[in-house]
Amino acid sequence: GRLASAMPVDIPLVKLVLLGRAFGALPDAVVMASALSLQDLFLMPSSVFERDSRSFVAHLSENFAHRSRFDAGACSEPLTYLSLYRAWLLGDHGNQWARKNGVSLSRMARMDMMVADLSGKMMGLLDGTKADEHQRKKLEDLHGASRARGKTPPNVVATLFCADLDRLRFIVAGACAPNFLLGTIKAQKKELS
């Protein structure tokens, strides 16, 4: 409860952060929760503003290509956003970078601020255990990278995040568990003798 009240995200995203902490991928979980708490980071064409249907379809195709490049076969929006944020940490954060990657510059900047805010709050909530100290160091590095405005060395960015996609998928699935698990629980009848 203390953690949920201190976080600027919804309860399922707090669960994502908690699972990230439990499974040693806290920076990844912070980035994914930050991205999922905001409006879609990618620019999405609208048929309302596109008068020509061919132009609309071309822009949709371009949007899909940008998403696919960052998704890299993971088939996961949170993991796509994580990959996009890695590129953001290495990029120049200008309009040209945003156009090249098909994202909204203002939404990316907002996400970057949310990552800094969420990582700062999480650092204050971690215990003094050895596992938490390792997570705290990674959060400090993530916070510093988000404030460095594209000047973080690639080797530092590479060490910030978990390379185990299965672990990250498990964390995302666990955070969204009520939406994944459907059905009823059958009660077993036990006869008392």
Side-chain angles (χ1 to χ4, degrees), residues 30-45 63 66-67 70 76-89 97-115:
V30 164
V31 170
M32 290 186 288
S34 297
L36 293 171
S37 70
L38 301 170
Q39 188 178 5
D40 188 6
L41 301 172
F42 289 95
L43 297 173
M44 186 65 160
N63 176 274
H66 289 302
R67 288 175 189 272
F70 287 105
S76 169
E77 187 175 14
L79 295 179
T80 299
Y81 288 148
L82 182 60
S83 178
L84 177 64
Y85 191 70
R86 284 182 190 139
W88 169 263
L89 290 177
W97 183 90
R99 271 193 307 277
K100 177 183 141 201
N101 293 295
V103 296
S104 166
L105 185 60
S106 63
R107 289 182 215 150
M108 284 301 300
R110 211 171 306 130
M111 181 195 164
D112 197 35
M113 287 187 286
M114 177 69 91
V115 167

Side-chain angles (χ1 to χ4, degrees), residues 27-29 37 44 54 57 60 66 110 113 117-118 131 135 152 162 175 178:
D28 306 77
S37 70
M44 186 65 160
R54 287 183 184 188
V57 170
L60 272 178
H66 289 302
R110 211 171 306 130
M113 287 187 286
D117 183 38
L118 202 52
Q135 301 263 25
T152 307
C162 176

Side-chain angles (χ1 to χ4, degrees), residues 128-185:
T129 63
K130 189 174 185 175
D132 274 356
E133 285 307 313
H134 178 69
Q135 301 263 25
R136 181 186 315 279
K137 171 70 173 115
K138 284 193 157 207
L139 283 178
E140 287 171 357
D141 291 345
L142 176 64
H143 190 270
S146 75
R147 302 296 82 199
R149 306 283 186 234
K151 294 180 177 72
T152 307
N155 62 328
V156 173
V157 172
T159 62
L160 286 175
F161 301 107
C162 176
D164 185 358
L165 282 180
D166 289 334
R167 184 184 333 172
L168 295 174
R169 285 184 181 118
F170 179 80
I171 292 167
V172 170
C176 303
N179 298 332
F180 281 99
L181 304 174
L182 300 174
T184 58
I185 298 173

